[in-house]
């Protein structure tokens, strides 16, 4: 309740005071009070409640962003701005939103102030904690807490960087080491000499190539075992596909004698120029590895050895094909001995080194043991190399290599074509026999036709068999100077193959006949039957297991 107080004295004054908070006394007559006089004004708009007044928007006094309160003591209502808004709630446009963050110095936040619709929020910067308000816990830096996540992440990234950097350095080192190793092998294997030779020999440049180790590794899928075509004493042969799509045979040698680099390079240059349809073409080589790799043309139909000794009941090669293969092989050897720019002695002629293409055309391969013979020499002293059963006994005993050594080996191949037997075979378990010695014994004892393969007996004429047998016998003569040349062998085989209806004309001074039982065997046969010599660090008896007829 309010009361009106009028004080009369030297001066008169009147004021309104809240009766509950102001007490009148005599001193009030002397002078005006020296303190604030509390006063309370209780008023309201209209005589209706908020709910009733809001029904008529045209007379409702509260503006935008306000709320309505009913008067407690009197009829009517009052308007108030919403929290976070200010202004006159009774005048348009009403109350407006207060941006507490607008004053950066006096906003309520100690940290980051974020204005919201009708309010605000406070937040602490990264690296600190608290409610962010000036009247609250404010913001405190996280100095007392160990930054575990940050440190862990930093250490992890550091280790990752070290691993990546180490791997990169290791790869660079390995690559440089590999490059130096390839360069060393290239020089060690005579690469510089080969380059000079190819530059001097323009024809060689056109027909040969120096392959990189990477090229051949890719061509063979890193020398996959499934691509192995064959293995021999000098190395392994792989089937490969070059980047241009050519299929090749890649020979990976086991060892190489670096003291013979100049001779090896000269032979590579010569062999790349060999151009004969019955000689496997040497396409090039790779010198970036410890033992040089040789790249040859690929011949798809296997070796003569595989076809003759496949173990099948009926051999796959007819007599006509055998005769053709004999002519083609002899022709290739003739070319190497006499038509090449420098005579070449193969030194390892055998059925496993005679390849057959899809049309059964023969191609002489594998010159791993071959030697070039200077034009002013007819024989060459070498370390004895060859294959048991095919090796020239004269060459073995004297170490003097001549063209006639290939003639002897070819004579053994002729025996394989006639008999279907391997150079060393077992007629009975435990009895290792030498084909050449056994053949000569059979001829001397009139048992030649018993010794031949059934298909040969069926398809060949007697005259053909006798003629080829006689030629083989002469090729197998113990003394090299008594053997025919490969040119003579080729001529006789071509004449024999060209004869019609089995007719055959003997070459002069080479009468074909069988030795009678009472006629003594020739010196060569006797020597074969009673001699032995060492091959591949083991004793090998040519006459082993041969018995005399009763």
């Amino acid at each position: 309740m309010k009361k009106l107080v009028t004080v009369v004295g030297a001066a008169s004054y009147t004021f309104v005071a809240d009766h509950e908070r102001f007490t009148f006394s005599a001193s009030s007559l002397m002078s005006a009070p020296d303190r604030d006089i509390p006063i309370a004004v209780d008023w309201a708009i209209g005589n209706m409640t908020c709910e009733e007044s809001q029904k008529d928007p045209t007379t409702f006094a509260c503006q935008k962003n306000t709320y309505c309160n009913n008067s407690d003591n009197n009829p009517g209502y009052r308007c108030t701005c919403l929290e976070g808004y200010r202004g006159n709630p009774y005048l348009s446009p009403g109350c407006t939103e207060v941006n507490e963050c607008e004053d950066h110095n006096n906003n309520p936040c100690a940290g980051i102030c974020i204005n919201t619709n009708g309010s605000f929020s406070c937040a602490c910067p990264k690296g600190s904690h608290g409610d962010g308000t000036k009247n609250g816990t404010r913001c405190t830096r996280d100095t007392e807490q160990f930054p575990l996540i940050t440190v862990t992440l930093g250490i992890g990234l550091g280790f990752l960087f070290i691993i990546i950097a180490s791997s990169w350095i290791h790869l660079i080192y390995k690559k440089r080491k590999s490059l130096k190793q390839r360069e060393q092998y290239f020089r060690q294997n005579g690469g510089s000499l080969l380059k000079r030779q190819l530059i001097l020999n323009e024809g060689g440049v056109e027909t040969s190539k120096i392959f990189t180790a990477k090229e051949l590794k890719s061509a063979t899928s890193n020398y996959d075992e499934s691509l192995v075509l064959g293995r021999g004493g000098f190395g392994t042969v792989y089937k490969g596909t070059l980047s241009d799509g050519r299929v090749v045979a890649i020979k990976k040698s086991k060892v190489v004698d670096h003291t013979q680099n100049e001779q090896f390079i000269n032979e590579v240059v010569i062999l790349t120029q060999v151009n004969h349809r019955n000689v496997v073409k040497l396409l090039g080589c790779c010198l970036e590895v410890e033992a040089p790799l040789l790249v040859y043309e690929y011949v798809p139909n296997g070796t003569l050895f595989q076809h003759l000794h496949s173990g099948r009941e009926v051999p796959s090669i007819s007599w006509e094909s055998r005769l053709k293969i004999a002519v083609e092989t002899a022709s290739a050897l003739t070319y190497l001995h006499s038509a090449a720019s420098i005579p070449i002695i193969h030194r390892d002629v055998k059925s496993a080194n005679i390849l057959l293409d899809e049309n059964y055309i023969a191609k002489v391969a594998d010159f791993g043991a071959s030697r070039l013979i200077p034009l002013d020499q007819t024989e060459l002293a070498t370390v004895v190399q060859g294959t048991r059963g095919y090796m020239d006994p004269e060459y073995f005993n004297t170490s003097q290599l001549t063209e006639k050594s290939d003639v002897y080996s070819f004579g053994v191949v002729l025996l394989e074509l006639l008999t279907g037997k391997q150079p060393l075979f077992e007629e009975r378990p435990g009895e290792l026999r030498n084909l050449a010695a056994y053949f000569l014994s059979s001829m001397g004892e009139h048992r030649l036709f018993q010794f031949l393969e059934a298909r040969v007996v069926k398809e060949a004429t007697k005259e053909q068999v006798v003629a080829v047998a006689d030629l083989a016998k002469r090729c197998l003569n113990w003394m090299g100077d008594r053997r025919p040349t490969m040119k003579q062998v080729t001529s006789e085989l071509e004449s024999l193959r060209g004869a019609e209806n089995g007719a055959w004309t003997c070459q002069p001074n080479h009468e074909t006949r069988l030795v009678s039982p009472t006629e003594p065997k020739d010196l060569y046969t006797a020597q074969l039957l009673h001699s032995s010599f060492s091959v591949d660090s083991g004793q090998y008896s040519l006459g082993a297991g041969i018995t005399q007829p009763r």
Side-chain angles (χ1 to χ4, degrees), residues 78-242:
R78 291 190 295 272
C79 299
T80 305
C81 288
L82 294 173
E83 185 176 0
Y85 291 82
R86 64 186 173 188
N88 193 323
Y90 300 102
L91 298 178
S92 181
C95 300
T96 58
E97 196 265 336
V98 178
N99 186 352
E100 293 86 355
C101 302
E102 190 172 13
D103 188 348
H104 296 290
N105 297 321
N106 298 317
N107 68 62
C109 296
I112 300 172
C113 182
I114 303 171
N115 186 56
T116 60
N117 192 18
S119 185
F120 66 93
S121 63
C122 298
C124 290
K126 188 176 181 180
S128 61
H129 64 279
D131 62 7
T133 64
K134 293 179 179 178
N135 296 326
T137 60
R138 304 178 72 88
C139 293
T140 305
R141 291 182 62 84
D142 296 334
T143 55
E144 58 279 346
Q145 293 185 1
F146 185 75
L148 180 62
I149 297 177
T150 303
V151 172
T152 302
L153 183 61
I155 293 175
L157 291 175
F159 272 116
L160 180 61
F161 173 77
I162 291 173
I163 292 172
I164 293 175
S166 300
S167 300
W168 183 67
I169 293 172
H170 177 71
L171 287 174
I172 292 178
Y173 171 76
K174 191 175 180 181
K175 186 175 182 180
R176 287 183 178 178
K177 184 178 179 181
S178 177
L179 180 61
K180 288 183 179 179
Q181 182 77 78
R182 292 198 302 270
E183 291 176 350
Q184 179 183 347
Y185 284 145
F186 188 81
R187 292 192 301 270
Q188 184 175 287
N189 291 323
S192 301
L193 176 60
L194 179 59
K195 280 187 174 180
R196 289 197 299 270
Q197 292 279 13
L198 294 180
I199 291 173
L200 293 173
N201 190 332
E202 296 181 359
V205 172
E206 296 175 355
T207 58
S208 65
K209 178 181 178 182
I210 300 177
F211 293 89
T212 65
K214 184 178 180 180
E215 280 182 286
L216 301 188
K217 186 175 181 180
S218 174
T220 58
S221 300
N222 196 19
Y223 301 100
D224 194 307
E225 284 295 311
S226 64
L227 297 176
V228 172
L229 295 175
R231 302 180 191 274
F234 295 100
T236 304
V237 180
Y238 294 85
K239 180 180 179 181
T241 304
L242 300 178

Side-chain angles (χ1 to χ4, degrees), residues 18 33 104 126 217 254 263-264 377 379 392 502 532:
D18 186 342
H104 296 290
K126 188 176 181 180
K217 186 175 181 180
K254 290 181 179 179
Q263 183 177 352
F264 167 75
Q377 295 184 25
E379 58 184 30
D392 174 12
S532 64

Side-chain angles (χ1 to χ4, degrees), residues 130-425:
D131 62 7
T133 64
K134 293 179 179 178
N135 296 326
T137 60
R138 304 178 72 88
C139 293
T140 305
R141 291 182 62 84
D142 296 334
T143 55
E144 58 279 346
Q145 293 185 1
F146 185 75
L148 180 62
I149 297 177
T150 303
V151 172
T152 302
L153 183 61
I155 293 175
L157 291 175
F159 272 116
L160 180 61
F161 173 77
I162 291 173
I163 292 172
I164 293 175
S166 300
S167 300
W168 183 67
I169 293 172
H170 177 71
L171 287 174
I172 292 178
Y173 171 76
K174 191 175 180 181
K175 186 175 182 180
R176 287 183 178 178
K177 184 178 179 181
S178 177
L179 180 61
K180 288 183 179 179
Q181 182 77 78
R182 292 198 302 270
E183 291 176 350
Q184 179 183 347
Y185 284 145
F186 188 81
R187 292 192 301 270
Q188 184 175 287
N189 291 323
S192 301
L193 176 60
L194 179 59
K195 280 187 174 180
R196 289 197 299 270
Q197 292 279 13
L198 294 180
I199 291 173
L200 293 173
N201 190 332
E202 296 181 359
V205 172
E206 296 175 355
T207 58
S208 65
K209 178 181 178 182
I210 300 177
F211 293 89
T212 65
K214 184 178 180 180
E215 280 182 286
L216 301 188
K217 186 175 181 180
S218 174
T220 58
S221 300
N222 196 19
Y223 301 100
D224 194 307
E225 284 295 311
S226 64
L227 297 176
V228 172
L229 295 175
R231 302 180 191 274
F234 295 100
T236 304
V237 180
Y238 294 85
K239 180 180 179 181
T241 304
L242 300 178
S243 57
D244 59 6
R246 282 186 297 166
V247 180
V248 295
I250 300 171
K251 182 175 180 181
K252 192 175 186 181
S253 302
K254 290 181 179 179
V255 292
V256 64
D257 183 1
H258 295 298
T259 63
Q260 302 294 322
N261 277 346
E262 184 173 355
Q263 183 177 352
F264 167 75
I265 295 302
N266 287 335
E267 291 182 18
V268 168
V269 172
I270 295 298
L271 290 175
T272 54
Q273 298 177 64
V274 169
N275 186 20
H276 191 278
R277 68 187 301 266
N278 298 119
V279 177
V280 174
K281 181 68 176 176
L282 177 63
L283 303 177
C285 63
C286 172
L287 304 177
E288 294 181 348
V289 290
E290 184 176 8
L293 299 169
L294 299 175
V295 182
Y296 295 93
E297 66 170 310
Y298 174 65
V299 184
N301 203 15
T303 68
L304 177 60
F305 183 92
Q306 292 170 335
H307 286 274
L308 290 177
H309 312 302
S310 62
R312 289 179 292 186
E313 187 175 342
V314 179
S316 60
I317 304 181
S318 66
W319 169 250
E320 182 182 356
S321 295
R322 296 182 194 212
L323 204 53
K324 180 179 76 72
I325 291 169
V327 171
E328 291 170 343
T329 304
S331 174
L333 294 174
T334 299
Y335 170 84
L336 294 175
H337 289 180
S338 57
S341 57
I342 297 179
I344 301 171
I345 298 178
H346 191 286
R347 202 164 56 153
D348 197 21
V349 176
K350 56 184 178 180
S351 57
N353 285 339
I354 300 172
L355 307 182
L356 302 176
D357 69 7
E358 59 277 4
N359 298 316
Y360 284 84
I361 294 175
K363 289 181 178 287
V364 176
D366 198 346
F367 293 84
S370 63
R371 283 293 178 267
L372 306 180
I373 302 297
L375 296 176
D376 59 346
Q377 295 184 25
T378 58
E379 58 184 30
L380 182 68
T382 69
V383 177
V384 175
Q385 293 186 31
T387 302
R388 294 177 59 183
Y390 294 94
M391 189 182 296
D392 174 12
E394 184 180 56
Y395 165 51
F396 179 84
N397 288 330
T398 64
S399 297
Q400 297 299 316
L401 179 66
T402 69
E403 297 171 353
K404 297 298 182 71
S405 297
D406 282 351
V407 174
Y408 179 92
S409 301
F410 180 77
V412 179
V413 173
L414 286 179
L415 297 188
E416 289 184 86
L417 292 169
L418 285 170
T419 66
K421 294 184 180 296
Q422 297 186 32
L424 300 175
F425 66 96

